Amino acid sequence: MAADTSTEKTGTEPMQEAPAPACVMSFNSTDPSGAGGVAGDVATIAAMGAHALPVVTSVVMRDTAEVFDHHALEPDVVVEQARSVLEDVTIAAWKVGFLGSAEGVSAVAEVLSDYPDVPLVAYMPNLSWLEEDEQQAYLDAFRELVLPQTEVLVGSHQTLTDFLLPDWEGERPASPRELAVAAAEHGTRFVLVTSVLVASSKTPDQFLDNVLASPQGAITGEKFERFEVSFVGAGDTLSAALAALLASGSELHMAVGESLAFLDQSLDAGFRPGMGNVIPDRFFWALPPEEGEEGEPGAEGGSEDGDVPGTRHIH
């Protein structure tokens, strides 16, 4: 017979329930490689000490090297997933990744609009693998419906330039501030631009800058040394980490610095499970140090889903 541990029998105070971690709802696709999508979001949000509420928007057929196809879920199915949980759980932040289709964007945007005080981190991946008409319809819907509700838009310099300034013809690349101005025209408060190529005047090596910017200018960021390994899942990792930190109450500039440091160390501990790209290890901090290592943080670096080279301790 089980022991009776009630207050009446023992005279002790009932055990208090520990406070729940902050909850982040992620709208994203499935990724069978585990590199990004809801799999990457769940791992990242958990690693940051928050609780993920994953809502599947589409099924993507891919491996660690490339995307082959995808099937968007019906918008009603996406909405029902979200509404079922939102009626039960209080959320502290949103993370938006790939929403599957223009119709999916519309459906998710309607859910987001019911919670205007919850901060939204939106990640814009490289969608060059979509058919041109499908891609354009998706981007137009995202621009019109999601950007007005976005606190921070995350993406690589090239992807955000193509998305926000498609007619850019300047002799120099658009600056993070100019991207922030373009995003602000649609209602987005900040952009976190990754993989901004910077050439140092003191060394022939090139660097990649990662900059949080508003229409008034750059706010904070980190510069990483350019490297030669391609990663997949980096953008989802960065944006999910940022959403989790905001959900936990961190100030934006501090959350950006911590999420960039987390991404850097995840990439430094990255591993190659197949024949394609390297996947970030979001639980690098749980691994025992290898023999001979001094336990210092990872080497400098930065990435954006499969298009940034780097040197890493891949295992």
Side-chain angles (χ1 to χ4, degrees):
M1 179 181 294
D4 189 336
T5 57
S6 67
T7 304
E8 182 179 355
K9 289 287 186 181
T10 64
T12 61
E13 291 296 323
M15 185 175 64
Q16 292 186 344
E17 186 174 339
C23 294
V24 180
M25 179 166 283
S26 162
F27 293 93
N28 216 336
S29 61
T30 63
D31 179 350
S33 76
V38 290
D41 288 346
V42 168
T44 301
I45 292 167
M48 303 305 293
H51 177 65
L53 305 170
V55 175
V56 177
T57 59
S58 66
V59 178
V60 174
M61 274 61 75
R62 68 161 304 150
D63 58 16
T64 59
E66 60 182 313
V67 177
F68 304 107
D69 198 2
H70 86 106
H71 296 281
L73 269 64
E74 289 294 328
D76 289 347
V77 174
V78 176
V79 171
E80 187 173 354
Q81 291 178 74
R83 296 286 189 198
S84 298
V85 178
L86 290 169
E87 291 175 1
D88 175 48
V89 178
T90 300
I91 64 166
W94 308 102
K95 152 66 194 292
V96 163
F98 179 53
L99 302 180
S101 66
E103 294 76 17
V105 171
S106 179
V108 170
E110 185 175 349
V111 175
L112 299 174
S113 68
D114 290 339
Y115 302 83
D117 296 329
V118 177
L120 166 61
V121 177
Y123 169 53
M124 176 53 66
N126 183 340
L127 298 176
S128 59
W129 50 272
L130 285 175
E131 295 290 337
E132 184 175 352
D133 290 346
E134 184 180 6
Q135 179 184 164
Q136 191 59 54
Y138 181 93
L139 296 177
D140 289 344
F142 202 95
R143 192 181 293 112
E144 179 181 351
L145 300 174
V146 174
L147 288 191
Q149 306 184 64
T150 299
E151 178 81 3
V152 185
L153 174 65
V154 180
S156 73
H157 182 257
Q158 186 60 59
T159 296
L160 291 187
T161 299
D162 293 342
F163 175 46
L164 297 169
L165 296 170
D167 299 322
W168 180 265
E169 296 180 351
E171 294 183 1
R172 58 169 179 78
S175 69
R177 187 193 71 81
E178 287 165 327
L179 292 172
V181 169
E185 292 176 356
H186 301 283
T188 297
R189 295 188 62 192
F190 304 96
V191 294
L192 177 51
V193 188
T194 67
S195 306
V196 182
L197 190 59
V198 179
S200 171
S201 59
K202 298 181 180 180
T203 172
D205 293 334
Q206 291 180 316
F207 292 82
L208 297 173
D209 211 358
N210 304 281
V211 181
L212 175 71
S214 72
Q216 288 70 47
I219 299 171
T220 188
E222 297 287 342
K223 186 182 295 183
F224 298 136
E225 188 176 354
R226 187 175 172 86
F227 49 92
E228 295 185 1
V229 170
S230 293
F231 294 94
V232 61
D236 272 324
T237 301
L238 177 61
S239 49
L242 179 57
L245 289 165
L246 293 178
S248 300
S250 295
E251 295 293 332
L252 178 59
H253 70 286
M254 296 294 291
V256 167
E258 189 172 343
S259 58
L260 284 169
F262 176 81
L263 173 64
D264 182 47
Q265 293 175 81
S266 296
L267 299 180
D268 187 51
F271 59 96
R272 196 190 306 273
M275 297 180 289
N277 297 313
V278 176
I279 292 177
D281 187 344
R282 287 92 171 183
F283 291 93
F284 61 87
W285 44 268
L287 297 174
E290 294 182 9
E291 186 176 352
E293 288 188 353
E294 298 180 359
E296 292 297 322
E300 292 183 343
S303 85
E304 186 64 33
D305 285 353
D307 60 2
V308 178
T311 51
R312 291 290 168 181
H313 305 150
I314 301 159
H315 57 275

